[in-house]
Amino acid sequence: MSIIAENIKYVYSEGTPFVTVALDNVNMTVEKGDFLGIIGHTGSGKSTLIQLFNGLEMPAEGKIIVDGVSVGEDKKKLKNIRQTVGLVFQYPEYQLFEETVAKDVAFGPLNLNLSQDEINSRVKEALELVGFDYNKIKDLSPFDLSGGQKRRVAIAGVLAMKPDYLILDEPTAGLDPAGRNELFSQIKKLHGKGNFTVVLVSHSMEDIAKLVNKVIVLYKGKIHMKGTPKEIYSQSEELKRIGLGVPQIAEIVLELNKRGFNIKNDIINVEEATAEILKEIRRRKNV
Amino acid sequence: MEDNIIKIENVKFKYGKEDNKYAVDGVSLNIKKGQFTAIIGHNGSGKSTLAKLINSILLPTEGKIFVKGMDTSDDSKLWDIRQTAGMVFQNPDNQLVATIVEEDIAFGPENQGVEPSEIRKRVDAALNTVGMYEYRRRPPHLLSGGQKQRIAIAGILALNSDCIILDEPTAMLDPSGRVEVMETLKKLNKIGKTIVLITHYMDEAVQADRVVVMDKGNIRLDGTPKEVFSNLDAIKKFGLDVPQVTELAQVLIKEGVDLPSDIIYVKELVDLLCQ
C-alpha cells in the first residue's frame, strides 16, 4: 500500500506567456506507515504535488497511483481516493462554516451515507484525536475559538473521514509554539497508531527534524534531495543555497566545527548536541 | 517632539457587548520612536487585537490609545493615524490590490491625493528601500511570499509612515523569505522607522530591541530579548518557546558548563564555547 508518483510533470498557465512548469520528472513513493516531510522554497511545487496525491489536480504527464489505483483513470474512484488520502490545506480554519464544532466535523461523514450513531462516534473520536474534550467543545461555535483551536477542528473534519493517509500543508503556520507542539504531539500519536501515514509540508526545519523519518527536498519543481533528516540536514550549505535552512541546532554545530570543534555534522536535536559538546569539552580539558 | 510614538493607557477591549472576557484586559504600553519592539504570546493572548487597536481598526472599550499624540477613537484623525502607523498582515495575498507592483505601492499615496510626480518619487524610493526596484513592473501574484511581503511593506513606506506594525508577516514564508523580511525590517529600523513586530518565531523576536510577552490580554514580561528569554520557566508557562540555542545553553549549564544564563544568539554561544 502506497502513493506512487511516476514521472510527474505539471504545468500552470499552459498557452499563456506565464507558462510555468511547476513539477518536472518527479518520481517518489510514500510507503504506508511513513512519516514523510516535504520541504522546499516557496513556489518549489510542494503544494501542487500534494494536490496531485488526491486527485484535486491532474498531472500533464505521468501517473499518481494510490494503493494500486491510478488517480483519474476512473472518475468514480476519485471519491474513494479523496477519502483514503485526507488533505488538510493551508489555513484550513477558513473552511469552517457550521454553527457548532460537532456539526462542522460531521459534514464530511454525513456525505458518506453512514448511520447517525457511526457519524457521532466518528466526530467524537476525531475531536478527541486532536486533543479536545468532546463535551466541552461540541456545541461551541467554531468562530469563537482561537486560531489554533480552529485549526484543530478543521483537521478533525478530515480525520472524521478516516483517511489512511493524512497530508498536511503547513499545518502550524500562524500557530504559537504551544499550539505547534500540541498539534504535532497529536499527529505523532496518530502516526504511532499502526498503519497511519503522514505527509507533512513545512517551512519549519526544526519541526521537520523533530518529527519525520524521511525527507524530500523540492527545488524548482524537481526532487533535489531525498533521505533521512540527518542525511539532509548535514548538508547545510546546499540547503541554504536553495532558499532553505537548517534547524538552529545544526547551525550551532556547523559554526562550532568551523572554529575547531570536531563534532558529528548530522546533529538535529538539542539532546544529541548536548552530549557531543560535553564530550568535546571534556576531551579538550584532558588534552 | 513627543518621545513615545505610541501610548497605550490602561486599555480594555472585548469583541461582543455580552462577552465577559476581555481580549485585551488593561494594557498600558509606551513605544518610543525608533524602537524595534517584538510582541509575542500564544494564540488568543490578545496580540493581534492590540495591533488592530493601535491602528484604529478596533476602538478600545475602555482606556485610550494615542498614536503620535492622536487619540485613536477620534474619527477625524482616522486617516492620519493609519498613515502614521501602517499595518502589514500575515497573508501577503490578502493585501496587494493592483496588477502591477508599482501601481500597488502607488495605491496609498494616490488615495491621499499626493501629486503624481511626488508619488513617482515615493514609489521608487520605497521599492529601493525594500530591494524590489527591479520587480516594479511585475504582477504581484508571480512574486514569492517574501517578495510580496516586501511589496506590502513598501506600500506603507510610500505613505511616509513613521511606524510599521506587522502581524506575523513571516508565518507563510519559507526560510529565505523570512530572512528577507527580517533584513528589510532591520534596515527600516536603522533609518528611524518604529517597528512593532508580532511573531511566533522566537529567533525573530531576539532580533528586536525590546520583547513584550502577552498572555490572557495582558502584558506579562517586558524587557530586552536577553531579559525576557533568560526567564525560561515563565516563557514556557505562557505557551511560548525559547530559541534552540538558549535551550542548549541551559542544558549545558545544568551539566556543569560555565556559561551565562542569558544566551540567545548562536554567535554568542559559539564564541563562549570556543574560548
Side-chain angles (χ1 to χ4, degrees), chain B residues 54-179:
Chain B
I54 297 172
N55 201 237
S56 202
I57 294 170
L58 300 171
L59 298 178
T61 314
E62 284 174 37
K64 287 272 176 213
I65 298 183
F66 297 94
V67 174
K68 221 177 166 182
M70 295 175 284
D71 185 341
T72 59
S73 49
D74 180 351
D75 242 4
S76 66
K77 292 278 194 282
L78 187 66
W79 297 109
D80 292 331
I81 288 167
R82 293 203 181 141
Q83 190 204 326
T84 307
M87 199 149 165
V88 174
F89 298 93
Q90 193 177 96
N91 189 338
D93 292 324
N94 292 350
Q95 49 196 327
L96 301 180
V97 291
T99 51
I100 297 291
V101 163
E102 60 182 8
E103 285 173 12
D104 192 88
I105 298 169
F107 182 78
E110 263 171 5
N111 279 319
Q112 290 184 337
V114 177
E115 286 290 317
S117 59
E118 169 70 10
I119 293 180
R120 182 75 255 173
K121 265 190 236 160
R122 286 195 197 178
V123 169
D124 289 347
L127 278 166
N128 277 317
T129 307
V130 300
M132 289 294 291
Y133 186 73
E134 56 187 298
Y135 294 89
R136 65 192 180 282
R137 302 216 186 268
R138 299 276 184 95
H141 70 276
L142 296 180
L143 301 176
S144 76
Q147 290 171 333
K148 283 182 200 164
Q149 287 299 51
R150 279 147 73 198
I151 298 300
I153 294 170
I156 292 170
L157 291 177
L159 289 169
N160 284 342
S161 302
D162 296 321
C163 177
I164 303 177
I165 302 163
L166 305 102
D167 193 357
E168 293 187 49
T170 62
M172 300 184 72
L173 306 185
D174 60 24
S176 61
R178 287 177 52 201
V179 172

Side-chain angles (χ1 to χ4, degrees), chain A residues 11 26 42 178 258:
Chain A
V11 185
V26 169
T42 318
K258 273 191 198 157

Side-chain angles (χ1 to χ4, degrees), chain B residues 170-215:
Chain B
T170 62
M172 300 184 72
L173 306 185
D174 60 24
S176 61
R178 287 177 52 201
V179 172
E180 278 170 29
V181 170
M182 283 309 290
E183 291 306 317
T184 306
L185 293 183
K186 283 197 270 185
K187 190 169 156 194
L188 295 180
N189 184 236
K190 273 207 188 100
I191 60 172
K193 301 284 180 193
T194 309
I195 310 279
V196 178
L197 170 68
I198 294 172
T199 183
H200 283 317
Y201 290 110
M202 303 305 138
D203 54 333
E204 291 174 5
V206 298
Q207 297 177 47
D209 303 324
R210 177 184 183 187
V211 177
V212 172
V213 178
M214 287 192 72
D215 178 60

Side-chain angles (χ1 to χ4, degrees), chain A residues 122-149:
Chain A
R122 281 193 181 198
V123 169
K124 183 165 185 283
E125 191 188 343
L127 283 167
E128 283 169 353
L129 278 174
V130 294
F132 283 119
D133 180 333
Y134 173 72
N135 287 317
K136 273 191 190 154
I137 195 95
K138 67 179 166 72
D139 296 323
L140 297 181
S141 159
F143 302 102
D144 287 340
L145 305 176
S146 79
Q149 290 172 325

Side-chain angles (χ1 to χ4, degrees), chain A residues 18 41-42 90-91 173-178 180-181 203 205-206 243 248-249 252 255-256 259 261 274 277-278, chain B residues 42-43 90 142 168 171-176 200 202 239 241 243-245 248 251 255 257 266 270-271 273-274:
Chain A
F18 299 113
H41 61 93
T42 318
Q90 283 175 14
Y91 294 82
L175 290 192
D176 60 47
R180 203 144 69 204
N181 291 339
H203 283 317
M205 303 300 134
E206 279 85 5
Q248 195 181 43
I249 205 79
I252 296 169
E255 289 301 316
L256 284 171
R259 303 268 295 265
F261 269 57
T274 310
I277 291 171
L278 286 174
Chain B
H42 60 83
N43 292 107
Q90 193 177 96
L142 296 180
E168 293 187 49
M172 300 184 72
L173 306 185
D174 60 24
S176 61
H200 283 317
M202 303 305 138
D241 236 331
Q244 278 188 325
V245 61
L248 175 66
V251 183
E255 294 287 339
V257 180
V266 171
V270 171
D271 283 348
L273 287 175
C274 291

Side-chain angles (χ1 to χ4, degrees), chain A residues 157-214:
Chain A
V158 174
L159 290 174
M161 300 295 281
K162 300 216 165 175
D164 294 328
Y165 302 89
L166 180 66
I167 302 183
L168 303 140
D169 193 357
E170 293 278 356
T172 59
L175 290 192
D176 60 47
R180 203 144 69 204
N181 291 339
E182 159 103 43
L183 183 59
F184 279 142
S185 73
Q186 303 296 348
I187 292 170
K188 221 175 163 173
K189 240 192 249 165
L190 274 175
H191 177 252
K193 280 182 188 161
N195 259 346
F196 199 64
T197 310
V198 183
V199 177
L200 173 66
V201 174
S202 177
H203 283 317
S204 166
M205 303 300 134
E206 279 85 5
D207 292 341
I208 292 280
K210 254 186 257 173
L211 291 160
V212 308
N213 51 29
K214 277 186 200 169

